[in-house]
Amino acid sequence: MSPDGQTLPPDCHAAEPIPEAARAEIDRLLSSGDLFRYTAPKDAPVALLEAEFAELMGVRYALAVSSCSAALFLSLKALDLPRGAKVLIPAFTFAAVPSAVVHADCVPVLVEVGDNYRVDMADFAAKLDEAQAVMISHMRGHTSDMDAILALCDARGIPVVEDAAHSLGTLWGGRKIGTIGRVGCFSFQSYKMVNAGEGGMMITDDPEIAARAIIMSGAYEDNWKKHPGLQNSFGAWQNKLPLYNLRMQNLSAAVIRPQLPALAGRVERGRAGHDRVAAQLNTSAWLSVPEALAPELRAPDSIQFNLTGDWTDDEARAFQRAAKARGVGVQVFGLSEGNARAFWNWQFLGDQPDLPQTRAMLMRACDVRLPVRLTDAELDFIAGAVLAAVQDVKA
Ligand SMILES: *Cc1c(COP(=O)(O)O)cnc(C)c1O
């Protein structure tokens, strides 16, 4: 609030304090210097986090690593795909996803995405026969049709990896996102639901994939004995796989663990805040917030909406400037120079076929952060500023 009682533009980029409970544990780690996950004989913070995360998700194995990108890379390595294997990924995702595929010596094949930000199932089905794996990126927490994807992939024996970096807490038909594919990967980078600065988690029920990933993450010599439940598999893989050293360290786990009990509440608040803003934006004929798919219960910490009807690029840019002048930053994925979520900027992939449908979506899809901590007044301020910015351009 400003002194005259008006709501000021909220700061959508500042982080939130880490729960106080992290402080004592971090002090303990600092005074002992016990930062490496494999130094303690048992109950290292990273090992406790893995057990807690596996329990939270209802899976057999969880492996904490340095980032979601590391988890995605390890997932593909653990699937033991041949060099050059084609991996389908949605064309709307973050550049780290095709990068993880390239890092794993595989070749990404980009699949068209609809104007609801989800995988276009016709293009997916058309490209699936050439694929040896599928990596579904639930970009900005939008879930693609996992029933259709799993049905097609299971029929062909093609493994599915879920990039659930931004989907922690999302449900699909009552099942937790990240547990539907063979492997699920999560991020603890600062702009996700759980903030450790950096960090990632890989989950699976498959003991062979878990064993291979754990060894390759850097469980050298006998350190695999500190991961529960895999003794036989480890014996077979020890020293047969490279060690990529993508481990998480204890300080990160100490930051993450006290945030997990707060997750369910944060997901509820994020969804309520998102839906509050969405209802207001949908009153404009010039904007539309795509609906969630029927089985999907989302966990958003940002909102995406399309500029609908006739908009030129110049008008879309004018809308962004007008929103900015009113205190709200709006990203149009395809309009900012070098945006890491626009597939044509992934020059490291070399020449790629164009994806006109995804391109058209990216040129009109807007993105506004809605941190879970925002008050209703702040959410209404954002919705009001966006609606007023539309009027500035279109009135
Ligand atoms: C953040 C994000 C990533 C990358 O996560 P890191 O932990 O930063 O490597 C990958 N995919 C999606 C959809 C993301 O949102």
Side-chain angles (χ1 to χ4, degrees), residues 99-357:
S99 304
V101 177
V102 170
H103 190 190
D105 291 320
C106 297
V107 177
V109 176
L110 308 188
V111 177
E112 287 271 32
V113 167
D115 62 7
N116 66 352
Y117 321 128
R118 292 161 174 89
V119 168
D120 179 297
M121 289 310 302
D123 198 45
F124 180 84
K127 288 171 174 164
L128 190 56
D129 282 333
E130 59 178 314
Q132 281 163 287
V134 163
M135 185 170 272
I136 297 297
S137 200
H138 304 299
M139 185 57 171
R140 285 294 192 271
H142 297 284
T143 314
S144 290
D145 186 343
M146 294 306 287
D147 296 338
I149 288 168
L150 265 290
L152 287 167
C153 291
D154 286 350
R156 291 165 176 78
I158 297 174
V160 176
V161 175
E162 285 183 81
D163 167 17
H166 219 148
S167 290
L168 184 55
T170 300
L171 298 179
W172 176 265
R175 295 165 72 191
K176 295 190 165 76
I177 279 298
T179 67
I180 296 174
R182 187 87 57 89
V183 186
C185 301
F186 297 87
S187 176
F188 305 119
Q189 184 268 343
S190 289
Y191 294 155
K192 314 295 159 102
M193 266 296 171
V194 169
N195 168 21
E198 305 283 359
M201 189 72 79
M202 180 187 150
I203 61 172
T204 185
D205 280 330
D206 184 317
E208 292 305 310
I209 289 176
R212 295 167 59 81
I214 287 167
I215 291 199
M216 286 189 280
S217 78
Y220 62 95
E221 296 167 355
D222 276 350
N223 285 313
W224 55 265
K225 291 182 177 159
K226 294 174 182 171
H227 291 264
L230 290 163
Q231 272 58 6
N232 294 335
S233 305
F234 275 110
W237 295 118
Q238 184 74 67
N239 292 329
K240 305 240 172 30
L241 297 169
L243 303 171
Y244 293 107
N245 282 15
L246 300 165
R247 295 173 299 251
M248 180 181 278
Q249 62 134 323
N250 282 336
L251 284 174
S252 304
V255 171
I256 294 165
R257 290 182 61 214
Q259 295 182 59
L260 294 185
L263 179 65
R266 286 173 59 74
V267 166
E268 289 274 321
R269 280 202 302 288
R271 187 161 57 235
H274 171 278
D275 292 353
R276 184 181 181 97
V277 173
Q280 295 177 60
L281 299 190
N282 277 330
T283 62
S284 168
W286 296 105
L287 306 177
S288 104
V289 183
E291 285 202 36
L293 301 186
E296 189 185 7
L297 194 58
R298 302 192 57 227
D301 59 6
S302 63
I303 189 164
Q304 289 70 45
F305 54 94
N306 296 321
L307 304 178
T308 51
D310 277 338
W311 288 79
T312 65
D313 287 356
D314 283 346
E315 284 176 320
R317 288 197 181 90
F319 161 71
Q320 280 183 288
R321 284 194 301 274
K324 181 105 201 142
R326 293 174 177 279
V328 174
V330 178
Q331 157 171 245
V332 180
F333 295 108
L335 281 182
S336 62
E337 192 68 21
N339 193 300
R341 300 150 202 87
F343 63 85
W344 53 87
N345 289 322
W346 304 338
Q347 292 170 27
F348 53 86
L349 294 183
D351 283 343
Q352 292 288 311
D354 194 26
L355 296 146
Q357 184 180 315

